[in-house]
């Protein structure tokens, strides 16, 4: 077998992937909605030195997620200071750790070239590339689930005993990242694989279950107890609401921090096509080639039944998609935990093909791996010159801060994006036209704005969403300046009473 993926080529392609992602992490501002929100939660944690309760806003606890990803981002702030790049560093680190787990498995049972391919395939998938430099919980959950799944197969393939302990460490990290969802993702995938051939159930005896349960309880339970004691009601909201009602009730109204993402059932598969680019179309081509005949379908099911390794990674890669098929509340980020298994499967496929699939005279993997960083490098250069096209209030708030001596406060009418909270250090005031489910600090009603600000404060800044200026009363509009600054969605004005 000629190994096209040499160590030198691997390091070059890996460096391109990482450097392009780091470039985008540095030049892009924190964007709405999730990035700016989670960065603000982490920053408040670092500044308050409260490592038990994440806070959605000043004085308002965030019950939507456990704190592991916030701990990581807050620690990053402690070490590196405040910069847009800083809270994104942990996501990149944990994505690379996930890639290392892929490498560790493949290099154990295949040649290094196959392990190199697995790492590059994973890191160059569009969703992985994007989330590896974003302030989100998904890279941490994916690391936890990958650690658990890789540890499981390492144990049943009789590798070092410490993998048995790491299996349970992964579960504990998952509980501290997104909660009981780790049991669903890992337990569902393992159950599909074990039930495909009941003889596999005897493999479970290879684990030290009592010691493992002790590891999970020791690592994860203390925080849950402390969180409930510190802010009673957390367990009911997080366990019942976030893990049951969100997924079984498409019209769930209990979300304290946002709105449900309602999509047609089964839409997760369409999302997968984009998430796994550029490799999703190669997967479809491989499946199309294998599934066009009855004999091909029979061979496929024979492999799932009798080839433990292949069927293991197939079940792992499919379960997340199958699980969310019946859910109407989904995001593309939910696909991420399934992609490490897909990367391993494709690397194994290339190994069986002798690593000799080419486009012209170039190995196809090099062409595919470069697709994502090139596309995003071009996009990064463009948006770094046109930040006004990004969903962020960074530059609008910066303009206000440069001129805030000329006025007393900044007021967002009706809506205030999370990036405005973050970049204003939670000083931007939201004027609510109607009460909302989400609770915020620095909020006043429309009546309070009219009686306590308009006509009382001589000069202040007003921010209005584009297209909503006409909704303001005439007496206010008449005393507002021309537009001073525009972001993607908002316009900044100065109000002067005289």
């Amino acid at each position: 077998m000629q190994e096209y993926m040499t160590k030198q080529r691997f390091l070059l392609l890996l460096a391109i992937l990482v450097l392009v992602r780091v470039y985008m992490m540095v030049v892009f501002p924190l964007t709405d909605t999730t990035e700016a929100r989670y960065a603000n939660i982490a920053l408040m944690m670092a500044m308050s030195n409260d490592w038990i309760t994440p806070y959605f806003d000043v004085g308002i606890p965030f019950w939507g997620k456990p704190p592991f990803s916030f701990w990581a981002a807050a620690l990053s702030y402690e070490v590196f200071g405040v910069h847009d790049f800083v809270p994104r560093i942990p996501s990149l680190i944990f994505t690379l750790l996930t890639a290392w787990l892929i490498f560790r498995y493949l290099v154990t049972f295949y040649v290094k070239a196959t392990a190199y391919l697995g790492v590059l395939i994973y890191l160059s998938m569009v969703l992985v590339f994007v989330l590896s430099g974003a302030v989100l919980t998904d890279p941490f959950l994916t690391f936890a689930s990958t650690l658990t799944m890789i540890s499981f197969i390492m144990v049943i393939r009789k590798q070092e005993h410490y993998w048995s302990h790491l299996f349970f460490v992964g579960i504990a990290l998952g509980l501290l990242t997104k909660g009981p969802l780790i049991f669903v993702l890992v337990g569902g995938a393992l159950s599909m694989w074990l039930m495909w051939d009941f003889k596999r159930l005897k493999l479970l005896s290879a684990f030290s279950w009592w010691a493992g349960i002790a590891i999970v309880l020791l690592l994860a339970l203390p925080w849950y107890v402390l969180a409930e004691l510190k802010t009673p009601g957390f367990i009911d909201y997080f366990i019942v609401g976030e893990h049951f009602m969100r997924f079984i009730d498409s019209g769930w109204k209990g979300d304290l921090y946002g709105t449900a993402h309602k999509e047609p059932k089964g839409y997760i598969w369409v999302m997968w096509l984009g998430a796994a680019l550029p490799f999703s179309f190669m997967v479809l081509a491989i499946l199309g080639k294998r599934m066009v005949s009855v004999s091909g379908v029979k061979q496929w099911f024979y492999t799932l039944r009798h080839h433990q390794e292949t069927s293991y990674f197939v079940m792992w890669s499919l379960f997340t998609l199958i699980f969310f098929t019946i859910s109407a509340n989904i995001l593309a980020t939910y696909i991420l935990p399934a992609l490490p298994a897909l990367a391993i499967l494709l690397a194994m496929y290339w190994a069986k093909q002798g690593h000799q699939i080419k486009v012209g005279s170039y190995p196809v993997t090099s062409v595919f791996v470069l697709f994502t960083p090139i596309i995003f490098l071009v996009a990064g250069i463009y948006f770094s010159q046109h930040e006004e096209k990004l969903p962020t209030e960074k530059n609008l708030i910066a303009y206000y801060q440069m001129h805030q001596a000329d006025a007393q406060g900044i007021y967002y009418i009706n809506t205030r994006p999370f990036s405005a909270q973050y970049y204003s250090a939670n000083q931007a005031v939201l004027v609510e036209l109607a009460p909302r489910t989400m609770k915020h600090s620095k909020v006043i009603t429309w009546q309070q704005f009219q009686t306590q600000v308009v006509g009382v404060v001589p000069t202040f800044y007003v921010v209005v969403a584009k297209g909503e200026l006409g909704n303001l009363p005439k007496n206010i509009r008449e005393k507002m300046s021309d537009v001073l600054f525009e972001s993607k969605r908002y316009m900044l004005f100065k109000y002067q009473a005289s």
Side-chain angles (χ1 to χ4, degrees), residues 18-36:
V18 173
L19 290 175
V20 171
R21 195 63 191 96
V22 169
Y23 163 76
M24 295 179 65
M25 290 162 61
V26 172
V27 301
F28 269 52
L30 293 167
T31 56
D32 290 305
T33 57
T34 306
E35 261 210 310

Side-chain angles (χ1 to χ4, degrees), residues 95-105 119 143 162-163:
T95 299
L96 293 174
L97 288 174
T98 302
W100 180 84
L101 289 170
I102 293 170
F103 177 87
R104 183 71 175 82
Y105 177 79
V119 170
F143 170 76
Y162 61 76
W163 288 106

Side-chain angles (χ1 to χ4, degrees), residues 38 54 62-67 70 137 177-178 223 234 238 242:
Y38 286 179
F62 181 64
W63 289 346
K65 299 287 186 298
F70 304 127
T137 58
T177 300
K178 277 205 173 182
W223 176 80
F234 159 71
F238 181 65
E242 288 283 342

Side-chain angles (χ1 to χ4, degrees), residues 21 74 226 266 329 362:
R21 195 63 191 96
L226 291 172
N329 295 323
Y362 296 96

Side-chain angles (χ1 to χ4, degrees), residues 189-301:
L190 291 179
S191 296
M192 281 180 61
W193 182 73
L194 292 169
M195 298 305 175
W196 200 264
D197 184 348
F198 285 102
K199 293 179 181 178
R200 295 171 181 172
L201 289 171
K202 64 183 179 181
L203 297 171
L204 297 176
S205 63
F207 291 84
S208 304
W209 289 100
W210 289 113
I213 292 171
I215 289 172
V216 172
L217 293 177
L218 181 64
L219 293 178
L221 185 60
W223 176 80
Y224 279 83
V225 173
L226 291 172
E228 177 65 21
L229 290 174
K230 192 166 181 289
T231 57
F234 159 71
I235 294 294
D236 178 67
Y237 175 82
F238 181 65
I239 301 298
V240 178
E242 288 283 342
H243 285 83
F244 290 95
M245 299 309 298
R246 174 183 291 277
F247 299 108
I248 66 176
D249 182 1
S250 62
W252 181 49
K253 304 297 184 181
D255 195 331
L256 298 177
Y257 310 105
T259 56
H261 301 270
K262 188 175 181 180
E263 302 286 357
K265 291 184 178 181
Y267 193 68
I268 194 78
W269 297 90
V270 178
M271 291 179 170
W272 176 88
L273 287 174
L277 281 173
F279 298 97
S280 51
F281 290 110
M282 178 162 289
V283 173
L284 294 179
I286 294 170
L287 290 176
K289 183 178 179 181
R290 295 288 181 90
M291 305 294 278
V292 293
S293 64
V294 174
S295 60
V297 174
K298 288 182 178 179
Q299 181 62 37
W300 173 253
F301 280 96

